[in-house]
Amino acid sequence: MKKIFCAVAIFMMSQTMQAQYDDANSHIGISGGYSYMNILTDNFKVTPLGGFNVGFSTRGMFYDYFDLVYGMEFFQTSVAMEGYRLGSGKNEQLVFMNKGVQMHLLCSYRAISDHLNFDFGPVFQLNDKLTAKDSQQEYILEGTPLKAIDVADVSKFNVLLGAGVTGGSLHVRASLFYQYGLTNFFSKLNKTEPVSNAGYNLKGNLSLLTAKVIFYL
């Protein structure tokens, strides 16, 4: 995963710098903010938790009132699921962490030039495993025979569709962006031995809300 992240970072940075060189109306943005992740599923009791995101992007004129925005963000966020330690019978919140990188290519409607945009488009995500705390790896997930460690190997590539709003000044803007997963986040889990032996066909869609501040150079 680290090699993939590095390769993607180099590619996106080269493309961003090229766009800045070719188009005087393009602006490089550096961003950071808060990510709120949920998994929409009927298989587990999931509680959304927060995390952070950092990244960079290029925003430039595309056609008439539309801009084109593309870039990359690194993220780390978490969710909680109900589970219990074998023999205890007492439910606890098991915290699972997920981290990775997102690449987005967005069309952006310029409602107020240099001040207010409505963004929408696809987001492509490369993520690591869904990892529980070391002390909770052997806990049983509520309503299933599965352990926390059994649901770690989620799909590494996911496609999401996003929409949001970006507003502020020419050089500093705030963004609120919602993303819904079009692919099954648990697809790869269905091919693992613990899940297939339990007779499950897991299905879950990512739901992400990000709030960030963007500084345009």
Side-chain angles (χ1 to χ4, degrees):
M1 289 296 292
K2 290 181 179 179
K3 292 181 180 179
I4 294 175
F5 291 173
C6 290
V8 171
I10 293 171
F11 172 77
M12 293 300 296
M13 184 173 291
S14 65
Q15 292 298 307
T16 300
M17 293 180 69
Q18 183 65 31
Q20 181 74 359
Y21 177 79
D22 291 341
D23 187 355
N25 294 311
S26 294
H27 301 282
I28 295 177
I30 300 172
S31 64
Y34 181 80
S35 295
Y36 188 69
M37 175 181 169
N38 194 8
I39 305 172
L40 306 178
T41 179
D42 294 327
N43 300 114
F44 309 109
K45 296 179 180 179
V46 181
T47 300
L49 297 176
F52 68 88
N53 61 76
V54 293
F56 61 89
S57 62
T58 290
R59 177 182 292 273
M61 288 184 180
F62 176 61
Y63 179 77
D64 284 344
Y65 294 100
F66 290 91
D67 292 339
L68 191 63
V69 182
Y70 65 92
M72 180 181 69
E73 287 182 357
F74 291 92
F75 69 90
Q76 179 177 301
T77 190
S78 304
V79 295
M81 300 185 198
E82 288 190 20
Y84 58 91
R85 181 165 48 84
L86 195 62
S88 71
K90 181 181 179 181
N91 278 6
E92 298 180 33
Q93 289 287 304
L94 312 185
V95 178
F96 294 80
M97 185 179 71
N98 189 236
K99 58 185 176 181
V101 62
Q102 287 190 336
M103 293 158 286
H104 57 260
L105 179 62
L106 309 177
C107 186
S108 181
Y109 175 70
R110 211 179 314 116
I112 303 176
S113 185
D114 295 328
H115 294 289
L116 181 64
N117 287 67
F118 294 97
D119 310 319
F120 52 93
V123 179
F124 305 97
Q125 176 171 307
L126 292 171
N127 53 261
D128 209 338
K129 293 183 178 182
L130 190 66
T131 309
K133 293 180 179 179
D134 290 341
S135 60
Q136 297 179 330
Q137 292 282 339
E138 298 296 319
Y139 278 47
I140 307 297
L141 294 171
E142 174 66 22
T144 78
L146 301 174
K147 299 178 181 178
I149 195 173
D150 294 335
V151 298
D153 201 15
V154 293
S155 297
K156 301 299 191 302
F157 176 74
N158 291 277
V159 180
L160 303 94
L161 187 63
V165 59
T166 302
S169 66
L170 178 62
H171 295 291
V172 182
R173 299 188 194 183
S175 172
L176 188 65
F177 194 68
Y178 176 76
Q179 305 167 46
Y180 175 78
L182 302 179
T183 51
N184 183 5
F185 189 56
F186 295 144
S187 178
K188 190 178 178 182
L189 284 177
N190 292 322
K191 301 175 184 178
T192 62
E193 187 174 331
V195 174
S196 60
N197 287 347
Y200 280 97
N201 183 27
L202 303 178
K203 188 177 189 305
N205 298 88
L206 287 172
S207 175
L208 286 164
L209 181 65
T210 62
K212 59 187 177 183
V213 177
I214 309 168
F215 298 92
Y216 285 107
L217 305 179

